[in-house]
């Protein structure tokens, strides 16, 4: 790097380092650490406290390896990720090769069905896999039980561990030559590799073998497929030591690790520039990995850095064939990889990764080497100073970059690489394939984007440092350091669960995915809890979450008198696919968020554009919202509930919020009508929900209770619907019913939703009550044994996730910050 560029970078990095030191932002522990986070497909995390303890993963848990090695004076250390474990196929599953098996469905077979000598001639023969629509190339099975027998031959027994590769929905019992070798509960949603015991391995023999499976469908989908493999460990690891990780700090846009490797310190920084106030920067699909080195003992040391990026970033499953190449353009050295097939927007669903478009690795460092190698050979390529290949076609490659640092002394020296993704088309929106936002710029290319990212590196790092300081400062002021740390944890996760595109009408669309929930796109009750963070830092992004829902209704594609639940299944936004409506829930959400937007912007212009639709939804709430019938709310995992007092609060607040909007637009008569209606409902609510020392989960029930988190908007919007005594009573009750890891959602279960706890806490008017509700959530976030991107649904007794991960809803953690910001206005 030239002297001016280097000087600017050191100044910027010094600012960021000073900021981190001053705020003591060290995260003692996160469930998972964000590394590269842009959207729901381009999202890589580390699920261990030490970065070199495990392979990095996509938020779904699938391996997407980032491998980092450092050579110091001839000695090798690993600081990032783990070396790839190779698997040698013994018996292929259908993700590698088609096959047929004998099977019997629904009727329990005779005793001994799992044994080699069993006569299965009366069984049917069918192509695998067996299941629902996911088994489109196999055999249809949608019943309760299926038994499968598969014969195969082995020429040589494996030397490494025997592994079961299985995809099951739901429970599966697996037998090898008559002996049970595995019991798998529930549904795993995709192929999973399970290590088998030595005794299980001993059942395998040279010659003919039988793999037998009983799969039980306990409800919902049905699917089974399995195979066997041998684990092949790399001998190269013996020559590589682990670098000593000395610290990790996380800010809103950066994750910073420090390592000791021999007599050299390595500061490793992952930067995803998700700056909400800068739409161009926010939508640029490029992250930086920065390596800053300095000598510990003051002597000069010879240093090289190896950075590997797996081509698994560009596949849905590792069995997909990819093509990779290296080339130069715009002064950059580039590596590129993507699937051979390129099935653009052909897959939808929850536990799915992108398998179209291309991942890129860019370097402008003089003397840097780039090459392509099989993922299993990545370590040996660096140890042997190999140059690898310039092009490759096959499966599971590593895109390798070697950065020369020469002699490293006590003066810090830095270099960086850029990692980008071009998904070409990002979303299908009512049958229109939409490009990612950055591609709407005339002449835009990913090479141009990577070139700009390289040229503006120092400026971007400075912008990120300022953003980090703002996020931290706002949150500390609103709720203290534990609260601020929760907000920092939420920042990148929430943003990266969306994608930004432009609608055919020219509107911004900021479309969420219900990660590990059901895979819906642009779900209204995902937008609702996410909203506080966006209301504070870029209200246009909230509009981007609502624009598609309004279009769905106003285009005539959705003609019900209440809001839809979603726009489809990600990434296909062609209309609602969720099986049941949530009329009060979603209508109330949309109306309240419009009022919050007007409060933030100081005008009701956005609501005015959609006034007819908002009026229809409000009329529905006026008729059906006060005492809702048996319908779902956002807490649909808890089941249907009639007379839901918290859902009633939402309807009441929404009706009053509609009156507020009418008043802002100068319609005094409408404002008076609906505000009077809401105030009357609020009085009746206090009578029907009263349960003595608290208010019930449902009306007229004194032995139930629930968090009334929807009531927070009464405070945030300054509506004054409910008297202070209501809040005092509820908060006192909540504080008496907390568990170690938080306040339960309601009296039915001990699990909770952390976003709703933060909303409940934001209703408190004193710091002590707020902190008392927040502290157990912080304890969960820093002590949970569930090592996935932060779950918003966890058990309050043991701190384990119940379900959901990596969802955008934790943007709701910012509710207290929002309340304070609006109060200050």
């Amino acid at each position: 790097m030239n002297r001016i560029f280097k000087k600017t970078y050191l100044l910027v990095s010094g600012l960021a380092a000073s900021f981190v030191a001053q705020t003591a932002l060290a995260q003692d522990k996160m469930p998972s650490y964000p590394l590269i986070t842009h959207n729901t497909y381009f999202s890589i995390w580390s699920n261990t406290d030490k970065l070199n303890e495990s392979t990095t993963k996509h938020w779904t848990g699938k391996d997407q390896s980032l491998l980092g090695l450092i050579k110091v004076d001839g000695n090798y250390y690993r600081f990032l990720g783990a070396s790839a474990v190779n698997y040698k196929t013994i018996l292929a599953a259908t993700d590698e090769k088609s096959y047929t098996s004998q099977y019997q469905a629904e009727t329990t077979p005779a005793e001994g069905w799992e044994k080699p000598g069993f006569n299965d001639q009366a069984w049917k023969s069918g192509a695998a896999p067996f299941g629902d629509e996911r088994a489109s190339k196999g055999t249809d099975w949608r019943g309760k039980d299926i038994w499968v027998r598969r014969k195969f031959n082995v020429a040589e027994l494996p030397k490494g561990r025997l592994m079961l590769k299985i995809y099951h929905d739901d429970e599966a019992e697996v037998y090898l030559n008559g002996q049970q070798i595995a019991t798998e509960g529930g549904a795993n949603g995709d192929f999973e590799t399970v290590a088998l015991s030595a005794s299980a391995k001993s059942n395998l023999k040279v010659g003919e073998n039988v793999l037998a499976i009983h799969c039980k469908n306990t409800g919902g989908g049905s699917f089974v497929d399995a195979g066997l493999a041998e684990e092949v460990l790399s001998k190269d690891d013996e020559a590589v030591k682990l670098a000593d990780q000395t610290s990790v700090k996380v800010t809103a846009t950066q994750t910073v690790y420090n390592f000791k490797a021999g007599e050299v310190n390595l500061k490793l920084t992952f930067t995803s520039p998700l700056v909400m106030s800068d739409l161009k920067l926010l939508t640029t699909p490029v992250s930086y990995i920065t390596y800053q080195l300095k000598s510990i003992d003051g002597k000069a040391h010879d240093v090289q850095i190896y950075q590997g990026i797996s081509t698994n970033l560009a596949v849905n499953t590792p069995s997909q064939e990819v093509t990779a190449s290296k080339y130069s353009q715009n002064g950059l050295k580039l590596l590129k990889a993507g699937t051979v097939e390129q099935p653009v927007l052909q897959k939808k669903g929850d536990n799915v990764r992108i398998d179209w478009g291309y991942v890129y690795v860019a370097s402008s460092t003089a003397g840097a080497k780039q090459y392509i190698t099989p993922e299993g050979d990545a370590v040996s390529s660096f140890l042997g100073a190999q140059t690898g290949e310039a092009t490759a076609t096959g499966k599971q490659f590593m895109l390798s970059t070697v950065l020369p640092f020469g002699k490293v002394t006590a003066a810090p020296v830095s270099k960086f690489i850029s990692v980008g993704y071009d998904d070409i088309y990002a979303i299908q929106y009512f049958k229109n394939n939409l490009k990612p936002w950055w591609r709407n710029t005339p002449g835009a290319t990913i090479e141009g984007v990577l070139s700009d990212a390289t040229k503006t590196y120092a400026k971007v790092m400075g912008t990120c440092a300022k953003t980090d300081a703002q996020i931290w400062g706002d949150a500390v002021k609103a709720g203290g350091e534990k609260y601020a740390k929760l907000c920092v944890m939420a920042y990148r996760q929430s943003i990266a669960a969306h994608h930004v595109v432009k609608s055919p009408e020219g509107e911004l669309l900021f479309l969420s995915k219900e990660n590990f929930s059901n895979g819906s796109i642009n779900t209204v009750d995902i937008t609702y809890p996410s909203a506080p963070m966006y209301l504070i830092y870029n209200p246009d992004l909230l509009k981007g979450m609502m624009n598609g829902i309004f279009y769905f209704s106003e285009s005539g594609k959705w003609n019900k008198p209440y809001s839809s639940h979603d726009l489809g299944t990600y990434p296909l936004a062609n209309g609602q696919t969720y099986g049941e409506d949530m009329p009060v829930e979603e209508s109330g959400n949309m109306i309240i968020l419009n009022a919050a937007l007007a409060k933030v912007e100081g005008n009701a212009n956005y609501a005015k554009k959609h006034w007819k639709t908002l009026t229809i939804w409000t009329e529905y709430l006026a008729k059906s919202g006060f005492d809702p019938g048996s319908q779902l709310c956002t807490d649909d995992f808890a089941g249907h509930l009639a007379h839901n007092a918290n859902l009633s609060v939402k309807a009441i607040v929404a009706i009053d919020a509609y009156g507020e909007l009418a008043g802002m637009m100068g319609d005094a008569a409408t404002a008076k009508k609906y505000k009077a209606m809401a105030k009357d409902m609020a009085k009746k609510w206090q009578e029907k929900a009263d349960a003595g020392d608290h208010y019930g989960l449902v009306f007229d029930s004194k032995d139930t209770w629930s968090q009334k988190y929807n009531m927070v908007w009464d405070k945030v919007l300054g509506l004054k619907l409910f008297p202070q005594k209501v809040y005092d009573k509820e908060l006192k009750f909540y504080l008496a019913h907390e568990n170690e890891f938080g306040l339960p959602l309601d009296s039915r279960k001990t699990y909770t939703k952390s976003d709703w706890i933060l909303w409940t806490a934001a209703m408190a008017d004193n710091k002590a009550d707020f902190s008392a509700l927040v502290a157990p959530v912080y304890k969960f976030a820093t002590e949970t044994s569930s090592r996935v991107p932060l779950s918003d649904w966890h058990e309050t007794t043991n701190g384990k996730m119940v379900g959901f991960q990596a969802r955008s809803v934790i943007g709701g953690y910012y509710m207290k910050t929002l309340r304070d910001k609006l109060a200050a206005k």
Side-chain angles (χ1 to χ4, degrees), residues 6-20 254 267 269 290 292 412 414 457-458 461-462 465:
K6 181 176 178 181
K7 182 178 179 181
T8 305
Y9 167 70
L10 291 175
L11 178 65
V12 168
S13 61
L15 171 65
S18 173
F19 156 65
V20 171
Q254 301 186 79
K267 180 181 179 182
T269 303
T290 304
Q292 185 186 85
S414 296
Y457 170 79
M461 295 295 278

Side-chain angles (χ1 to χ4, degrees), residues 588-659:
N589 291 345
M590 291 291 287
I591 297 163
I592 290 169
L593 292 181
N594 272 266
L597 184 66
K599 182 89 169 177
V600 167
E601 294 190 324
N603 64 73
N605 294 345
Y606 184 78
K608 189 174 183 179
K609 280 177 57 179
H610 305 290
W611 195 243
K612 181 179 179 181
T613 304
L614 290 169
T615 300
I616 292 170
W617 294 344
T618 303
E619 285 300 317
Y620 174 83
L621 294 181
K623 295 174 182 176
S624 306
F626 174 71
D627 190 359
S630 181
Q631 59 178 255
L632 294 175
C633 70
T634 187
D635 305 318
D636 55 351
F637 51 84
H640 289 74
L641 189 66
H643 318 299
N644 184 333
N646 187 43
L647 190 58
S648 175
V649 169
K650 177 170 290 182
I652 295 166
V653 171
I655 291 167
D656 194 273
Y658 176 83

Side-chain angles (χ1 to χ4, degrees), residues 184 196 220 310 336 367 535 608 663 716 770:
E184 301 296 316
L196 299 175
S310 173
K336 171 186 178 182
L535 282 163
K608 189 174 183 179
V716 172
F770 175 81

Side-chain angles (χ1 to χ4, degrees), residues 806-823:
R807 301 208 309 167
S808 68
V809 299
I810 58 175
Y813 287 4
Y814 286 75
M815 182 60 90
K816 180 63 163 61
T817 311
L818 176 65
R819 181 184 172 186
D820 288 3
K821 289 274 187 182
L822 290 178

Side-chain angles (χ1 to χ4, degrees), residues 444-502:
T445 65
I446 190 64
E447 290 87 357
V449 166
L450 288 162
S451 178
D452 287 346
T454 300
K455 293 172 183 175
T456 60
Y457 170 79
K459 179 182 178 183
V460 170
M461 295 295 278
T463 301
C464 287
K466 291 177 183 177
T467 299
D468 294 343
Q470 180 185 11
I471 298 296
W472 175 258
D474 288 349
V476 168
K477 182 179 178 182
E481 287 204 2
K482 286 184 177 180
Y483 173 68
K485 288 181 179 181
L486 287 170
C487 288
V488 166
M489 290 184 201
Y491 188 84
R492 270 177 282 170
Q493 176 172 315
S494 183
I495 297 171
H498 298 81
H499 214 319
V500 185
V501 293
K502 183 182 288 187

